[in-house]
């Protein structure tokens, strides 16, 4: 089963991008008191672990124009 690169399964960068607006506004609502969350891809059911550290690094990269 081949996915088009723009429509394909979620990868961590896509997940970070989808979660970024919530994290910017209310990081505690996203992570609670934890350091990571589990996200399941709605297309392929793969589970991804997203950490606060990864989210912060992603946002810093986007802010530098490397998103």
């Amino acid at each position: 089963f081949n996915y088009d690169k723009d429509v394909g399964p979620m990868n961590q960068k896509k997940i970070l991008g989808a979660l970024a607006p919530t994290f910017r506004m209310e990081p505690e609502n996203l992570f609670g008191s934890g350091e990571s969350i589990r996200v399941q891809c709605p297309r392929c059911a793969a589970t991804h672990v997203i950490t606060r550290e990864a989210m912060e690094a992603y946002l810093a990269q986007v802010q530098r124009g490397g998103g």
Side-chain angles (χ1 to χ4, degrees), residues 32-47:
S33 62
E35 289 299 314
S36 67
I37 57 172
R38 293 184 182 274
V39 179
Q40 188 171 29
C41 174
R43 293 193 181 129
C44 70
T47 300

